[in-house]
Amino acid sequence: MADNPKTTTDSDSKENNAVQLAKTPPMGWSSWNYYGDRINEKIIIDTIDKMISLGLRDAGYTYVNIDDGWQKYKGSRAEHPLEVDEKKFPHGIKYIADYAHKKGIKLGIYSGPGNSTCAGYTGSEGHEKEDAAMFASWGIDHLKYDSCCSHQQASKDTLKTVFGDMSKALNAAGRPMVYHACHCGWQNIWEWGKSVGANQWRIGQDISDDFNYPGNREGYYFDVLDMIDRGVGLESYSGKGHWNDYDMLIIGLHGRSKELVGTGASDNEYRTHFSMWSILSSPLLIGASLDDLNTTDLETLKNKEIIALNQDPLGLQAKRYVSNGDLQIFAKPLADGSWAVALLNRSGQTATMTLNMQQDLNLPWKKTLVRDLWLHRDMGSFTDTYSVEVQSHETKMLVIRSGW
């Protein structure tokens, strides 16, 4: 009967619990892109301290996520328990979580649904409840659950089961933990990630430290433009509590990663990378060593006006409205009634790009106020169109609003 209250299913419960977390895309730092499994207690503690001293925590980066390699044993879960490597982490993970929480930082951890993880360490297969309870007892705030090796060829039904099992275990553990279901975009995870309680899911394979590399490096890695293209048309799957994840930020790597392929990008290209991840509402997880960030890297990562687009409470992912070859326009409405707009020049030369408020975005405004978010400058009031020169591989980031 129509007047009867809706019965809450297990799927509804998982979705409702997930929405209570990650109401905006998670922001923070992750260890893998730079350190790989060469991590230890000192690196993580120092990173927590630098998140504060560099002003990153105050800019919104609140997670420090320990990726693969914290575990003591390599090999099958059937042969080894899941334990902390006491040589790398002599005080244990709870000690680090307690330290992070005192500093206003949240701590993330890594595991996977197989017998072993992507780097060959002990996984969580068959021990989801046990491991989720252990993570909760440590004070963990974020779990990256990575199936890159163990279930690459698995069916959608199998994947929904293995990711769903850990989701149920996390809910039962009694501690809120943001849940990253990492499956490199295989089996269209965006179509069902929300239903298994995930807060974020990767839409593509691993990113490389490249802006535009011809083809996929080693037949696998996506560059920045590949990732942007991958997400076109996926806007409806992203929203409060469940985000399309375009992979970790490569800003600051400058070709120095021992884990990622790629020779690095220019400052302009890294800035475009950050601009697009922000307007596309991807989680923003720094992948470089904080020791290596230069002044320009920090200025890029700490641009409050760009971050505000990513963290906008309306929670929408930008849509591509114009695709004129290498000249593309992405846009999305914001909670205050304004619009965020990205003018992306993918070409090898400077171009004049024109935004037509009515034709491109169907906005009925008679006058439009335009603000440039990288210049931090109000550009004036315009009727119908706004034109600007955009350098090669640059993205002009705008907020537009009705002038009257």
Side-chain angles (χ1 to χ4, degrees):
M1 295 175 61
D3 292 336
N4 286 346
K6 179 183 176 182
T7 301
T8 301
T9 66
D10 183 56
S11 177
D12 293 331
S13 177
K14 283 184 288 189
E15 288 187 26
N16 291 338
N17 289 339
V19 169
Q20 299 307 310
L21 296 169
K23 292 183 179 180
T24 58
M27 295 176 60
W29 176 90
S30 182
S31 62
W32 184 261
N33 280 2
Y34 185 81
Y35 292 102
D37 66 353
R38 301 173 305 281
I39 49 175
N40 57 50
E41 181 176 291
K42 184 179 186 305
I43 289 171
I44 303 303
I45 292 292
D46 287 350
T47 297
I48 292 168
D49 291 340
K50 288 187 175 70
M51 293 285 280
I52 298 164
S53 64
L54 294 175
L56 291 166
R57 180 199 62 185
D58 292 343
Y61 297 90
T62 55
Y63 288 91
V64 167
N65 293 343
I66 303 171
D67 210 285
D68 209 355
W70 61 269
Q71 310 92 326
K72 182 175 182 177
Y73 300 107
K74 280 200 169 186
S76 170
R77 185 61 179 266
E79 301 170 352
H80 304 289
L82 182 59
E83 295 179 359
V84 180
D85 186 334
E86 69 276 6
K87 293 181 180 178
K88 292 180 177 180
F89 298 93
H91 294 94
I93 301 299
K94 187 179 187 306
Y95 168 82
I96 299 176
D98 290 344
Y99 185 86
H101 295 156
K102 289 176 183 177
K103 300 284 187 173
I105 295 288
K106 299 175 182 178
L107 192 72
I109 202 74
Y110 174 101
S111 192
N115 263 313
S116 58
T117 65
C118 299
Y121 292 89
T122 308
S124 289
E125 184 173 354
H127 297 266
E128 294 83 5
K129 290 183 179 179
E130 172 188 342
D131 293 353
M134 180 172 65
F135 299 151
S137 72
W138 291 345
I140 294 298
D141 305 292
H142 183 288
L143 173 65
K144 178 180 176 182
Y145 202 54
D146 194 353
S147 63
C148 65
C149 295
S150 60
H151 291 79
Q152 183 173 344
Q153 304 300 326
S155 69
K156 186 179 296 186
D157 286 343
T158 297
L159 292 168
K160 290 173 76 172
T161 296
V162 298
F163 281 115
D165 285 347
M166 180 52 82
S167 179
K168 294 174 188 175
L170 292 174
N171 287 337
R175 178 177 177 81
M177 282 180 261
V178 171
Y179 183 34
H180 176 190
C182 188
H183 194 60
C184 296
W186 298 318
Q187 292 290 4
N188 296 354
I189 189 172
W190 50 83
E191 294 178 350
W192 48 268
K194 179 183 176 183
S195 71
V196 298
N199 299 110
Q200 62 190 92
W201 46 78
R202 286 267 302 281
I203 63 165
Q205 292 154 198
D206 292 354
I207 194 170
S208 66
D209 190 10
D210 299 295
F211 183 78
N212 186 19
Y213 183 88
N216 300 113
R217 279 188 184 266
E218 301 179 8
Y220 173 79
Y221 290 93
F222 285 14
D223 58 39
V224 168
L225 293 183
D226 291 332
M227 286 291 187
I228 293 170
D229 291 341
R230 177 74 164 179
V232 172
L234 303 186
E235 303 86 27
S236 64
Y237 300 105
S238 184
K240 297 179 182 180
H242 51 278
W243 307 101
N244 289 324
D245 187 337
Y246 286 65
D247 205 359
M248 290 170 276
L249 297 169
I250 55 174
I251 298 157
L253 288 174
H254 301 288
R256 292 187 294 252
S257 172
K258 294 181 180 179
E259 300 304 324
L260 293 189
V261 297
T263 56
S266 69
D267 291 339
N268 215 23
E269 291 167 342
Y270 280 141
R271 184 161 284 188
T272 282
H273 165 43
F274 188 69
S275 297
M276 295 305 299
W277 264 232
S278 293
I279 199 171
L280 293 168
S281 297
S282 173
L284 301 178
L285 296 174
I286 299 166
S289 165
L290 300 190
D291 292 332
D292 289 343
L293 298 179
N294 61 38
T295 300
T296 302
D297 297 331
L298 284 169
E299 288 176 353
T300 296
L301 290 166
K302 291 166 62 178
N303 186 318
K304 293 182 179 180
E305 294 190 82
I306 304 294
I307 290 171
L309 308 184
N310 182 265
Q311 297 292 296
D312 183 71
L314 198 58
L316 298 179
Q317 175 179 314
K319 174 183 176 181
R320 189 175 68 186
Y321 281 85
V322 175
S323 182
N324 182 17
D326 286 331
L327 306 180
Q328 300 181 347
I329 298 176
F330 292 75
K332 68 176 183 179
L334 301 174
D336 66 358
S338 62
W339 279 64
V341 180
L343 307 179
L344 168 62
N345 179 4
R346 303 166 61 125
S347 77
Q349 54 275 329
T350 297
T352 297
M353 296 187 66
T354 298
L355 171 67
N356 187 311
M357 266 65 77
Q358 293 189 12
Q359 180 178 306
D360 296 338
L361 303 182
N362 196 31
L363 294 174
W365 304 338
K366 294 181 179 180
K367 288 188 177 182
T368 299
L369 302 177
V370 177
R371 180 170 178 80
D372 187 307
L373 304 188
W374 284 114
L375 295 178
H376 302 291
R377 183 187 306 164
D378 293 326
M379 307 306 290
S381 177
F382 300 84
T383 56
D384 299 330
T385 63
Y386 173 74
S387 295
V388 63
E389 282 194 354
V390 186
Q391 294 178 17
S392 169
H393 297 178
E394 181 188 14
T395 297
K396 290 290 186 182
M397 295 297 290
L398 312 173
V399 164
I400 61 174
R401 63 183 73 248
S402 175
W404 53 284

